[in-house]
Amino acid sequence: MSAAEKAQAAQSTRNGWLLSTPALVILTLFAVGPLMIVAVYSFLAPGQYGNVEWKFSLDGWRGILWTKDIFDDTYGLADANVTIFWRSIRLSVLTTLLTFAVGFPTAWFIATRPTKSRALWLFLITIPFWTNLLIRTYAINEVIRNEGLLNTLLLKLGVITAPIQLLYTDTAVFIGMAYVYLPLMVLPLFAAIDRFDMRLLEAGYDLYASRMQVLRRVILPIVKPGIIAGSILVFVPSLGAYVTPRVLGGGKQMMIGNFIDLQFGQGRNWPLGAALSLTLLVIVTAALLIYVKYANRDTAHGH
């Protein structure tokens, strides 16, 4: 490379950095900056009336899983915190599984429709995104509450003799999150199935494979990138859900998001809230790294 070409390349690099400077500044101020504040707060002592005391302390991180006895200052396992973490992970996994169980047949149905009608079906899937999350959650509330649509219908049909208590339970939160996040599973699955070569099904049947064998050995391996993408898109927001557990759980069935809000609000323990926020970030990042790992591996195998 000549000196002129090197100078031109260097100038092009400088121009690129200059063009990206506004975006980098915004990213630093509104993403990295607040995250660093939360990280600093997690290593400080809680203030008496909220906020923090500017002295180093690991109480926030210890408080994630351990609680101090008020009489002898010994530490014991924080059962309530462990329960909240377990509930959050369990409900997020169950939500992911249910949305996949419902979303896969739905995506397959849409992908196998005539080309002219696919747009209509996708339009119907995306309609819920036009409505505020809070409104959609209250809609589920009206369906599953004791005097709601579901119990009223079952009582009139004689299926039950008394209303089923669904509201303010883990089941209500589970149903609400599955309803809210179902489109996030359907759309990636549709994108993967839409590229599926249907002639592979005929080849499998010609080789005397059963429907289950074709599903397990032909369809699922090929559409796996869509399954992984949909699972991540559902699992990550489910893990940090706040509105749905608050409305359908009644403040009793808390998840990590509600627990973090409690620490910054009534609990007045900002360091613990900051440590919980970073812990949630670590879990979400780990899930995303797993997705990237499998996506890259599938791409390498595809090539």
Side-chain angles (χ1 to χ4, degrees):
M1 181 181 294
S2 65
E5 292 176 339
K6 290 182 179 179
Q8 185 178 2
Q11 182 62 37
S12 177
T13 302
R14 285 194 295 269
N15 291 339
W17 278 107
L18 287 174
L19 290 173
S20 61
T21 296
L24 293 175
V25 171
I26 293 174
L27 183 63
T28 301
L29 290 178
F30 298 104
V32 179
L35 183 60
M36 294 304 298
I37 293 174
V38 171
V40 171
Y41 274 24
S42 69
F43 291 101
L44 298 177
Q48 187 173 1
Y49 301 105
N51 212 319
V52 294
E53 294 182 7
W54 289 89
K55 58 182 181 181
F56 180 79
S57 174
L58 292 175
D59 287 345
W61 289 99
R62 276 195 292 260
I64 295 175
L65 293 177
W66 307 97
T67 182
K68 182 187 289 187
D69 191 285
I70 60 175
F71 298 107
D72 56 11
D73 290 339
T74 59
Y75 282 92
L77 187 65
D79 295 334
N81 298 10
V82 174
T83 300
I84 291 172
F85 270 93
W86 169 241
R87 178 186 295 118
S88 301
I89 295 174
R90 177 170 55 86
L91 289 178
S92 298
V93 171
L94 290 176
T95 299
T96 303
L97 293 176
L98 179 59
T99 54
F100 173 71
V102 176
F104 187 84
T106 303
W108 185 272
F109 172 81
I110 297 174
T112 53
R113 295 307 92 193
T115 305
K116 293 182 179 180
S117 62
R118 290 182 192 175
L120 174 62
W121 288 107
L122 289 175
F123 170 74
L124 295 176
I125 290 294
T126 57
I127 280 181
F129 285 120
W130 296 13
T131 308
N132 185 273
L133 172 61
L134 184 61
I135 297 176
R136 284 184 281 158
T137 304
Y138 272 110
I140 291 294
N141 187 316
E142 291 300 313
V143 172
I144 65 176
R145 66 189 180 94
N146 287 0
E147 299 81 15
L149 178 63
L150 178 62
N151 277 310
T152 300
L153 181 61
L154 293 177
L155 285 170
K156 288 186 177 182
L157 293 175
V159 178
I160 58 176
T161 56
I164 302 174
Q165 179 60 45
L166 289 175
L167 199 59
Y168 307 141
T169 64
D170 283 354
T171 303
V173 177
F174 169 51
I175 294 173
M177 292 199 304
Y179 163 69
V180 167
Y181 299 123
L182 178 60
L184 298 179
M185 178 65 77
V186 173
L187 295 178
L189 285 175
F190 166 78
I193 296 173
D194 190 44
R195 297 191 299 267
F196 182 79
D197 188 350
M198 295 300 173
R199 291 175 297 180
L200 295 175
L201 298 181
E202 299 178 6
Y205 294 138
D206 289 342
L207 295 172
Y208 303 102
S210 65
R211 290 189 175 184
M212 186 58 64
Q213 288 175 323
V214 169
L215 174 64
R216 184 165 52 89
R217 297 187 179 185
V218 178
I219 299 175
L220 292 181
I222 294 177
V223 303
K224 186 167 69 171
I227 297 174
I228 297 174
S231 298
I232 292 296
L233 289 175
V234 172
F235 178 79
V236 169
S238 296
L239 193 62
Y242 172 80
V243 173
T244 304
R246 183 65 180 262
V247 174
L248 300 181
K252 300 178 181 178
Q253 311 302 323
M254 284 197 300
M255 294 178 64
I256 298 177
N258 309 104
F259 193 39
I260 293 172
D261 171 68
L262 179 65
Q263 301 310 314
F264 282 103
Q266 299 176 4
R268 297 178 179 177
N269 193 339
W270 289 17
L272 177 56
L276 288 168
S277 301
L278 293 176
T279 301
L280 178 59
L281 178 62
V282 169
I283 296 175
V284 169
T285 303
L288 293 175
L289 289 176
I290 292 173
Y291 164 68
V292 171
K293 175 184 176 182
Y294 278 98
N296 290 339
R297 189 174 69 179
D298 289 337
T299 301
H301 288 172
H303 289 302

